[in-house]
């Protein structure tokens, strides 16, 4: 993984990144994850997450794209969109449609395998549950005459869960019909098809036209929600600096998740300029990838750790015995799913449920109050950042990345954050400059 940080104010931006890169079970400490564009551009690009896009190093692709920029500056979002557009138009220079289809094959195969015998999340009555052992696990618990209905129910419940997932790229779902029409029309003698995958992974399981339709609909729902379809491992690119005509520094991020046809699958964030703080000055901060220790310093508490501690102390939600048919096959259901609190067997059951609910609400209020207090810490931090000169800004950025790496090391994590720390600045006057041993140049 990676730890990167951008701090900015009216003077400019300070950027820092570790240099650790993990490949399999080995970590190297020689990666350069910051790239500054040449004059007259006032932009740097930070890379985290994946290294290759469909087999080609992203650093090489950025080199080629930069050569097309010339001297014309654009908005910061314009730089990001220009790179994505260049990638889409040049995909055919380093990959093929067959190679992209292979990514879809891997995703569909793994999903069918998980559906058959893996543990997977499903929605039942709007409630997320973990289904153990997939279809095979369910069939082992129901009579033979119910097997076909059981298979269809699992597929539908899994489809509901997928449909409830966020669409990370709205341009992808409209391509689903064309994708599966093309894949389905191929000769099975020469290549795989969605139908041949179903035949293989559902061999020996109940099949029907209704089940097959449900599976194909399930496949379509995955497009835009499951990044494996497009072969994406999450390449995080953060564009930072000044667009044409800007006086304030800005950041604009995108996560690249592979490609489909000539479209680069991605999820992007709205550009965020430096914001005004209490005394009218401006400040900006943006962390990328591993930042738990940095956030602890800025906000003063670890929200996730606090919420997890409350969950452990409260224990699981109490359950009420209900009629098996009402529970749709489950002998016990959570209190939120119970039809009537009076189904509790006695007053003790009801008291336990009410007490658990009250404590849960109290815990949530406690976390909310801690969040409100931590917001004060955040604004103190931002007010400080707004006042720093460039030398102090770069020192602070470097120090926070060093503390993040130290925190991981002291807690015994694998060395996925580490190596030397690269630091750079971007200003309106000087553009991108590396900071070496405390000196900018």
């Amino acid at each position: 993984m990676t730890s990167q940080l951008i701090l900015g104010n009216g003077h400019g931006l300070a950027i820092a990144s570790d240099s650790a890169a993990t490949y399999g079970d080995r970590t190297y400490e020689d990666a350069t994850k910051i790239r500054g564009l040449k004059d007259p551009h006032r932009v740097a690009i930070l890379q985290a997450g994946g290294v290759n896009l469909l087999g080609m190093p992203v650093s090489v692709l950025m080199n080629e794209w930069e050569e097309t920029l010339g001297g014309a500056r654009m908005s910061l979002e314009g730089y990001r969109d220009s790179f994505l557009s260049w990638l889409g138009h040049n995909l055919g220079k380093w990959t093929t449609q067959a190679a992209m289809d292979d990514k879809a094959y891997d995703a569909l195969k793994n999903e069918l395998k998980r559906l058959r015998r893996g543990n997977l999340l499903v929605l039942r009555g709007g409630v997320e549950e973990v289904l153990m052992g997939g279809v095979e696990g369910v069939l082992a618990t129901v009579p033979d005459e119910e097997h076909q209905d059981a298979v269809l129910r699992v597929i539908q419940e899994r489809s509901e869960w997928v449909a409830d997932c966020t669409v990370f790229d709205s341009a992808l779902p409209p391509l689903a019909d064309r994708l599966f029409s093309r894949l389905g029309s191929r000769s099975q003698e020469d290549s795989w098809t969605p139908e041949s995958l179903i035949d293989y992974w559902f061999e020996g399981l109940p099949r029907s036209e209704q089940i097959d339709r449900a599976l194909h609909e399930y496949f379509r729902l995955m497009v835009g929600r499951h990044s494996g379809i497009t072969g994406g491992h999450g390449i995080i690119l953060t564009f930072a600096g000044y667009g044409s005509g800007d006086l304030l520094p800005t950041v604009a991020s995108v996560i690249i998740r592979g490609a489909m046809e000539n479209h680069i699958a991605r999820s992007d964030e709205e550009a965020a300029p430096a914001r005004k703080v209490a005394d009218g000055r401006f400040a900006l901060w943006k962390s990328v990838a591993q930042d738990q220790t940095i956030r602890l310093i800025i906000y003063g508490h670890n929200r996730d750790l606090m919420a997890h501690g409350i969950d452990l102390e409260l224990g699981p939600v109490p359950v009420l015995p209900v009629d098996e048919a009402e529970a749709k096959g489950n002998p016990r259901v959570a209190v939120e799913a119970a039809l009537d609190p009076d189904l509790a067997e006695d007053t003790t059951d009801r008291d336990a449920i009410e007490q658990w609910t009250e404590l849960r609400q109290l815990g949530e209020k406690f976390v909310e109050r801690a969040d409100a207090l931590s917001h004060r810490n955040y604004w103190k931090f931002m007010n400080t950042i707004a006042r720093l000169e460039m030398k102090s800004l770069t020192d602070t950025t470097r120090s926070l990345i060093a503390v993040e790496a130290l925190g991981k090391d002291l807690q015994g994590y694998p060395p996925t954050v580490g190596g030397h720390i690269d630091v750079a600045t971007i200003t309106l006057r000087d553009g991108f400059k590396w900071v070496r041993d405390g000196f900018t140049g």
Side-chain angles (χ1 to χ4, degrees):
M1 279 296 289
T2 293
S3 184
Q4 298 174 333
L5 183 63
I6 303 167
L7 297 179
N9 56 28
H11 295 293
L13 286 175
I15 301 167
S17 175
D18 77 320
S19 57
T22 302
Y23 303 94
D25 58 354
R26 299 194 62 181
T27 298
Y28 302 86
E29 297 183 344
D30 59 355
T32 300
K33 306 176 186 179
I34 301 173
R35 176 185 185 83
L37 300 186
K38 302 170 187 175
D39 279 335
H41 307 289
R42 301 292 188 258
V43 176
I45 307 170
L46 289 74
Q47 181 180 348
V51 175
N52 299 321
L53 175 59
L54 299 174
M56 179 63 73
V58 174
S59 59
V60 173
L61 297 173
M62 284 194 288
N63 283 338
E64 296 302 308
W65 163 71
E66 186 178 1
E67 292 300 316
T68 69
L69 289 179
R73 296 177 63 189
M74 58 192 80
S75 70
L76 197 73
E77 287 177 303
Y79 285 101
R80 179 189 65 192
D81 296 343
S82 169
F83 180 56
L84 294 171
S85 177
W86 183 90
L87 289 175
H89 284 100
N90 288 275
L91 271 172
K93 293 181 179 180
W94 81 89
T95 191
T96 64
Q97 186 63 63
M100 287 188 277
D101 288 348
D102 286 343
K103 301 297 183 182
Y105 168 84
D106 289 339
L108 297 177
K109 176 195 69 176
N110 291 335
E111 198 64 22
L112 285 170
K113 182 178 179 181
R114 186 181 297 114
L115 190 64
R116 176 164 187 149
R117 62 173 67 104
N119 301 333
L120 66 160
L121 290 167
V122 298
L123 279 186
R124 286 180 171 168
V127 178
E128 185 178 274
E129 295 185 16
V130 178
L131 179 63
M132 309 296 288
V135 169
E136 290 183 352
V138 170
L139 295 184
T141 65
V142 299
D144 291 349
E145 60 270 18
E146 298 179 14
H147 278 195
Q148 193 166 98
D149 289 340
V151 170
L152 182 61
R153 185 168 63 248
V154 170
I155 297 168
Q156 291 172 337
E157 290 170 346
R158 178 62 172 173
S159 294
E160 288 179 22
W161 182 84
V162 171
D164 200 48
C165 293
T166 302
V167 174
F168 65 82
D169 186 341
S170 60
L172 291 176
L175 301 178
D177 285 342
R178 193 161 67 208
L179 169 69
F180 288 107
S181 175
R182 180 173 54 78
L183 294 176
S185 63
R186 300 189 303 180
S187 169
Q188 294 191 25
E189 296 178 359
D190 300 325
S191 187
W192 65 276
T193 66
E195 195 64 35
S196 69
L197 277 177
I198 294 172
D199 290 342
Y200 180 84
W201 286 103
F202 266 53
E203 183 180 5
L205 296 179
R207 294 279 296 276
S208 68
E209 289 186 9
Q210 193 174 10
I211 288 173
D212 285 2
R213 282 197 303 271
L215 284 169
H216 284 283
E217 177 59 27
Y218 172 41
F219 289 165
R220 283 169 170 77
L221 286 172
M222 290 173 63
V223 179
R225 296 177 174 87
H226 190 308
S227 60
I229 290 283
T230 49
H233 296 290
I235 302 166
I236 306 170
L237 298 180
T238 304
F239 291 71
Y242 297 85
S244 177
D246 288 347
L247 289 178
L248 292 174
T250 301
V251 294
S253 299
V254 61
I255 304 177
I256 297 176
R257 304 181 186 275
M260 181 175 292
E261 298 180 2
N262 65 346
H263 175 76
I264 301 299
R266 76 271 200 158
S267 50
D268 49 29
E269 297 179 4
E270 186 176 347
R275 57 193 306 182
K276 189 174 289 188
V277 297
D279 64 356
R281 304 186 195 203
F282 294 90
L284 177 152
W285 91 284
K286 170 75 174 178
S287 60
V288 181
Q290 300 195 55
D291 62 358
Q292 293 90 338
T293 305
I294 294 173
R295 286 183 173 273
L296 182 61
I297 292 171
I298 294 173
Y299 288 96
H301 85 305
N302 186 325
R303 189 185 197 280
D304 292 339
L305 189 64
M306 187 181 301
H308 185 54
I310 291 172
D311 288 340
L312 291 176
E313 185 64 25
L314 285 176
V317 58
V319 294
L320 297 175
V322 297
D323 180 78
E324 184 172 346
E326 291 177 334
K328 297 181 180 178
N330 295 315
R332 300 173 71 81
V333 295
V335 61
E336 294 94 331
L339 300 178
D340 187 348
D342 292 335
L343 290 171
E345 292 180 341
D346 53 36
T347 303
T348 302
D349 284 339
R350 289 194 295 271
D351 289 346
I353 292 166
E354 291 174 1
Q355 183 182 35
W356 187 93
T357 302
E358 290 174 358
L359 290 173
R360 175 87 239 174
Q361 293 171 346
L362 181 62
E364 291 172 352
K365 289 180 180 178
F366 176 76
V367 173
E368 289 174 2
R369 179 59 62 90
D371 284 344
L373 293 172
S374 73
H375 209 57
R376 299 179 188 175
N377 292 337
Y378 165 79
W379 283 111
K380 290 178 182 178
F381 167 79
M382 292 290 278
N383 286 329
T384 300
I385 295 302
R387 293 182 173 90
L388 296 181
E389 298 291 333
M390 286 305 298
K391 174 65 166 61
S392 297
L393 200 63
T394 56
D395 289 345
T396 301
T397 310
R398 185 199 304 272
S399 297
L400 286 172
I401 292 295
V403 170
E404 184 68 39
L406 178 63
K408 295 289 186 294
D409 187 40
L410 292 175
Q411 294 178 35
Y413 286 98
T416 54
V417 176
H420 63 272
I421 298 173
D422 290 323
V423 182
T425 62
I426 304 176
T427 62
L428 276 172
R429 186 187 69 180
D430 298 325
F432 177 88
K433 298 291 183 182
W434 287 109
V435 178
R436 308 290 187 187
D437 299 322
F439 297 95
T440 303

